[in-house]
Amino acid sequence: MSGPVSTAAQKFGLAAVRALYAEVALEPKPGLVSFRDCGSHTDMTAQTFMRSLFALRGYFPHMVRAGHTGAPFAALEGLGKNAEARMLTATGGINTHRGAIFGLGLLCASAGRLLAQGLPFTPQHLRAILLSTWGEALAQRARAARLSAPVSNGQRAVRRFGLRSAGDEAAQAFPVLFDVTLPALQAALRVGAGERAARVQALFATMAALDDTNCVHRGGMDGLRFVQASARQFLQAGGVLQADWVPQARAMHSAFVARRLSPGGSADVLASACWVRLTLQSQMSAGSMQSLPELVA
């Protein structure tokens, strides 16, 4: 692998790790683990996430390089399974980042493919290259998952209630990420919200829209509806533009914890949005690689 491509892979990979750190460090974040508390979880802490991040630091550059070569989806899937094994070893069997390994890994591979084709890094190009390179394989994977016996809690929720899975989102080039989460993040920043507030706004927008199977696993469809309705109510009241948005969001956190609800799928999408924004900030393209700005303000 040539030097410039290897450098680019490291920069994209570093952005992925920083984006995942930004997600775990964010607070308030209803039901989810942060450095403030463990949310609705009794089996993991923020330190568990940090061990996972350390174990995954080499995975994302590998995905960029694989994407650059146009590796088949089976090769990407193999890299993802190896990364999952490293994550589980680091966390003592706790799933901290399986969703991010899949979603953010695919985005890194797509970024590598953009580099190979000399295309600028834009959300439109990223989605198009994902579909043109691995879209059919992702669609076949999603169809097979719907027809086979479910093997995960998320798959059981999808099958029982007819929800959209993470695989369905990937097969359609992540519509919630690019049509909801990233625009909400960018819009909040444009009207003067700080980094923290903008990420919270984007998280709530995602919670309102996503079929988050983590919530269904923990609270059934009533749990998912509660999460979505709570997020919509927060946004309709003004979101993070309200003077008291922090205590409101923390009150919602307490309500989610009382119900054991944890919108982990929404957290994964938020991390991906942070990665896209960071990479956009860097003005990356195949011919002009610049230093990545710091993500965590």
Side-chain angles (χ1 to χ4, degrees), residues 57-264:
R57 68 194 187 283
Y59 162 68
F60 298 108
H62 282 315
M63 289 295 278
V64 176
R65 296 185 190 102
H68 189 270
T69 64
F73 179 73
L76 303 186
E77 196 168 34
L79 289 173
K81 288 179 179 178
N82 290 338
E84 278 193 26
R86 289 193 296 274
M87 172 195 72
L88 293 172
T89 297
T91 62
I94 298 170
N95 170 24
T96 47
H97 287 119
R98 183 172 289 135
I101 288 170
F102 177 65
L104 194 46
L106 281 173
L107 293 172
C108 283
S110 299
R113 199 71 194 132
L114 286 182
L115 286 173
Q117 297 193 8
L119 295 170
F121 185 97
T122 68
Q124 295 78 16
H125 283 132
L126 197 65
R127 298 186 78 180
I129 207 77
L130 173 61
L131 289 176
S132 65
T133 311
W134 301 289
E136 181 54 36
L138 287 166
Q140 290 178 1
R141 179 182 183 274
R143 287 193 294 269
R146 285 194 293 271
L147 294 173
S148 61
V151 296
S152 70
N153 294 324
Q155 289 174 355
R156 293 183 188 94
V158 167
R159 177 70 60 84
R160 181 178 178 186
F161 299 106
L163 303 174
R164 285 173 55 81
S165 68
D168 294 325
E169 286 285 316
Q172 297 179 33
F174 301 110
V176 172
L177 166 61
F178 287 105
D179 296 338
V180 177
T181 314
L182 183 61
L185 180 64
Q186 294 170 324
L189 291 165
R190 280 197 301 270
V191 299
E195 289 284 350
R196 176 196 186 199
R199 292 171 196 153
V200 170
Q201 184 80 355
L203 175 64
F204 274 76
T206 309
M207 287 160 49
L210 187 71
D211 281 351
D212 198 320
T213 56
N214 289 283
C215 297
V216 179
H217 167 60
R218 286 173 163 263
M221 282 302 294
D222 286 344
L224 176 61
R225 293 189 188 102
F226 180 78
V227 167
Q228 292 176 333
S230 298
R232 285 193 295 268
Q233 183 179 7
F234 178 83
L235 295 169
Q236 290 166 0
V240 298
L241 299 183
Q242 303 170 88
D244 62 342
W245 72 266
V246 172
Q248 285 196 41
R250 284 180 175 167
M252 194 178 301
H253 176 67
S254 297
F256 280 28
V257 170
R259 292 172 177 249
R260 296 187 62 255
L261 297 171
S262 176

